[in-house]
Amino acid sequence: QVALMQFYGVEERDCGAILADSLLVIPAVSVGNVPQLCLDLLVHTTKAKLLGRLLSTAVLPVAGPADRFDGEQRTTTISTG
């Protein structure tokens, strides 16, 4: 079975021309969420705008804890079942 990836734009326009020479960067799961933090920094410093979302049968949705809580101590538990 082939995994499909589909793009859903946030606006009703064809993003093909905008994305023609673009590069998709997807963070990998790693120790300390370093790839995700690097991508967050890249998005923040370049002031990137959201064009849309990808939906794929090969990529599972993942949620992690917030990066800060304004001095509060909280714990987060993620359940997969």
Side-chain angles (χ1 to χ4, degrees), residues 5-34:
M5 186 174 287
Q6 192 161 1
F7 178 78
Y8 294 94
V10 292
E11 296 178 7
E12 292 187 21
R13 63 179 174 157
D14 182 22
C15 293
I18 297 170
L19 299 175
D21 294 323
S22 297
L23 177 69
L24 174 64
V25 181
I26 300 176
V29 176
S30 179
V31 176
N33 292 331
V34 173

Side-chain angles (χ1 to χ4, degrees), residues 29 60-64 76-81:
V29 176
L60 298 174
V62 178
T76 302
T77 304
I78 299 175
S79 174
T80 58

Side-chain angles (χ1 to χ4, degrees), residues 12-58:
E12 292 187 21
R13 63 179 174 157
D14 182 22
C15 293
I18 297 170
L19 299 175
D21 294 323
S22 297
L23 177 69
L24 174 64
V25 181
I26 300 176
V29 176
S30 179
V31 176
N33 292 331
V34 173
Q36 180 65 51
L37 292 171
C38 291
L39 194 56
D40 289 347
L41 181 63
L42 182 64
V43 168
H44 179 75
T45 56
T46 61
K47 299 187 184 332
K49 295 180 182 178
L50 178 65
L51 292 177
R53 293 175 173 81
L54 291 173
L55 180 62
S56 172
T57 57

